[in-house]
Amino acid sequence: MSDNISRKSFLKRAGAIAAVSSVGIPSILLSQSQEKLGVALVGLGNYSTSRLAPGLQQTDHCELRGIVTGSPEKIPEWQEQYNIPDSNVYNYENMHELANNDDIDIVYVVVPTGLHAKYSIIAAEAGKHVWCEKPMAMNVEECQNIIDAVNRNNVSLAIGYRLHHEPNTQKIMQFAREQTYGAVTEVRTAAGYDGYHEDGNWRKNAELGGGALYDMGVYPINAIRYATQMEPIAVNGRQSTVRKEVYPEVDEITDFQLEFANGMICTGETSFGKSMNYLNVNTEDGWYYLKPMSNYSGVQGMTSDGTALPADPGHQQARQMDAEALAIKEGRPPIVPGSQGLNDIRIVNAIMESSRNGRSRIEL
Ligand code: NAD
């Protein structure tokens, strides 16, 4: 859309109309609704470079139009590769000026976890829809501050839990909702990698949100929640570090149990030193699993009646961003709202508290 003012007012009107009715949209709005929303990536690290920017080349409802970076040396290559004009390049100090840029509809925060709240709030205050990477933030208060900022500014917020858009994961959620194999009786799940982080990497830094639990632990936590479609009432957990020389200030390994009101206990594990990736669900009438359960591709599994859950060939992040962009265009709530991120962080913080207190039971 060439006219920025009409573009902005269209997005507001489209949302309002879609909220009232899904039919009878004037043809002028229908043709405009095929416009892609403009996305600005905040933080041009590994995930933005290897997954999000390439994914945004495959999306139908949004496209990469801007960048926010503290690394000037990255700018020429990104501008050239993705055809980004000077007017859509920002740094962390001036990103609030996005408020004056109608090219950008959505700001996607892809910096270390300890900075998610800061930049998500700046984006919301600039009047932009916010996509915030997992884990949402460091604690419940920060998560709530993000939610309050988007509500105050009447913009939407989605958390980057790409698996909620992955077809086999969606089947697991459906099995729980419809009790296809009976009620869920137990979940065992783990996500970790046999890795090493070099000095200076924020994943070793407690203040920036490093450690296995924040970084990888939210996968098994979120998986238990989506595989049961229930919220736990209490947790216990233990955090430890084998390679103290590599991880002097954060956990290398965390294992935990989530307890539910019906007495069910589900277990999860995460690690920076052990490769594991599965979601096993037992039910009254059978079982099913995904293995791997959180990789970028190849998520697949099986059910107890022999139904295969074959890997989907699609680009997960493209699917995620398209679905969330379409929700914005149609004025619908996000598919993965802030409450998803907040509920996981409440559990993360409770596991940390439990570990500090000799694996005591912490009520949520
Ligand atoms: P990364 O280290 O590769 O990139 C981080 C970026 O943040 C870099 O460009 C860095 O320059 C920038 N940055 C800004 N301020 C910084 C500071 N004070 N200290 C350090 N870096 C700073 O990390 P990544 O793997 O791209 O992860 C970024 C975010 O994306 C994290 O929240 C992570 O959890 C999330 N992530 C999500 C997935 C997923 O599957 N959804 C996968 C990978 C990463």
Side-chain angles (χ1 to χ4, degrees), residues 116-131:
H116 286 184
K118 177 178 179 183
Y119 295 120
S120 295
I121 292 168
I122 292 174
E125 299 290 359
K128 304 301 173 183
H129 300 294
V130 180
W131 291 346

Side-chain angles (χ1 to χ4, degrees), residues 42-49 51-52 69-71 74 92 108-116 119 133-135 160-162 200-203 208 214-215 219 294 296 316-317 320:
V42 181
L44 307 181
N46 187 47
Y47 194 53
S48 285
T49 305
R51 301 303 302 182
L52 299 179
T69 178
S71 309
K74 293 180 183 170
Y92 297 110
Y108 197 161
V109 176
V110 202
V111 289
T113 303
L115 299 166
H116 286 184
Y119 295 120
E133 253 317 315
K134 50 58 59 180
Y161 281 131
R162 57 189 159 76
N201 190 311
W202 66 269
R203 286 181 167 85
L208 285 173
Y214 275 119
D215 189 40
Y219 288 106
S294 70
Y296 294 153
Q316 277 183 18
Q317 289 82 359
Q320 165 205 331

Side-chain angles (χ1 to χ4, degrees), residues 138-140 213-214 221 232-239 254-258 342-364:
M138 299 295 287
N139 52 50
V140 169
L213 179 58
Y214 275 119
I221 291 171
I233 59 160
V235 309
N236 69 73
R238 180 169 182 273
Q239 304 195 273
T254 295
D255 73 278
F256 57 88
Q257 294 186 319
L258 306 190
L342 184 149
N343 287 356
D344 283 352
I345 289 303
R346 180 178 287 126
I347 294 167
V348 164
N349 289 166
I351 292 169
M352 295 165 87
E353 186 186 344
S354 169
S355 183
R356 282 195 302 270
N357 292 287
R359 196 162 199 154
S360 58
R361 178 179 184 273
I362 306 291
E363 288 190 10
L364 292 164

Side-chain angles (χ1 to χ4, degrees), residues 82-353:
Y82 296 114
N83 200 18
I84 296 170
D86 289 346
S87 54
N88 290 355
V89 176
Y90 294 84
N91 58 46
Y92 297 110
E93 285 70 45
N94 68 11
M95 70 174 275
H96 59 278
E97 292 172 14
L98 278 161
N100 306 318
N101 188 339
D102 286 342
D103 248 7
I104 308 298
D105 305 293
I106 299 160
V107 171
Y108 197 161
V109 176
V110 202
V111 289
T113 303
L115 299 166
H116 286 184
K118 177 178 179 183
Y119 295 120
S120 295
I121 292 168
I122 292 174
E125 299 290 359
K128 304 301 173 183
H129 300 294
V130 180
W131 291 346
C132 174
E133 253 317 315
K134 50 58 59 180
M136 183 171 174
M138 299 295 287
N139 52 50
V140 169
E141 189 186 356
E142 282 192 355
C143 295
Q144 192 58 53
N145 288 343
I146 298 175
I147 292 170
D148 291 346
V150 299
N151 289 343
R152 208 166 42 239
N153 289 283
N154 207 17
V155 291
S156 78
L157 166 69
I159 309 302
Y161 281 131
R162 57 189 159 76
L163 294 169
H164 284 242
H165 305 270
E166 193 282 320
N168 286 328
T169 308
Q170 290 174 334
K171 272 200 192 103
I172 297 291
M173 299 178 192
Q174 189 187 343
F175 291 162
R177 275 195 299 267
E178 298 177 0
Q179 305 215 337
T180 317
Y181 295 85
V184 173
T185 54
E186 186 192 16
V187 179
R188 280 174 289 116
T189 176
Y193 50 83
D194 184 6
Y196 172 84
H197 294 112
E198 70 289 356
D199 282 349
N201 190 311
W202 66 269
R203 286 181 167 85
K204 297 170 73 160
N205 179 312
E207 215 172 302
L208 285 173
L213 179 58
Y214 275 119
D215 189 40
M216 292 299 288
V218 289
Y219 288 106
I221 291 171
N222 200 249
I224 291 172
R225 292 181 48 246
Y226 61 66
T228 60
Q229 295 288 304
M230 292 195 284
E231 298 296 338
I233 59 160
V235 309
N236 69 73
R238 180 169 182 273
Q239 304 195 273
S240 61
T241 299
V242 176
R243 294 175 293 173
K244 287 204 167 20
E245 69 289 1
V246 183
Y247 300 105
E249 51 181 86
V250 298
D251 62 305
E252 182 182 12
I253 302 159
T254 295
D255 73 278
F256 57 88
Q257 294 186 319
L258 306 190
E259 179 189 324
F260 291 81
N262 63 4
M264 176 172 62
I265 305 285
C266 298
T267 60
E269 190 181 357
T270 185
S271 174
F272 277 165
K274 185 167 135 191
S275 181
M276 50 190 172
N277 202 287
Y278 61 83
L279 170 61
N280 293 337
V281 183
N282 286 328
T283 63
E284 283 172 331
D285 302 333
W287 50 261
Y288 36 87
Y289 70 82
L290 292 179
K291 187 177 180 185
M293 70 106 170
S294 70
N295 290 11
Y296 294 153
S297 61
V299 172
Q300 58 192 295
M302 182 67 78
T303 74
S304 53
D305 62 10
T307 305
L309 303 172
D312 178 83
H315 191 287
Q316 277 183 18
Q317 289 82 359
R319 192 192 285 271
Q320 165 205 331
M321 293 186 283
D322 245 354
E324 294 292 10
L326 187 58
I328 293 171
K329 284 168 75 171
E330 294 183 347
R332 288 185 281 112
I335 288 124
V336 186
S339 57
Q340 277 291 338
L342 184 149
N343 287 356
D344 283 352
I345 289 303
R346 180 178 287 126
I347 294 167
V348 164
N349 289 166
I351 292 169
M352 295 165 87
E353 186 186 344

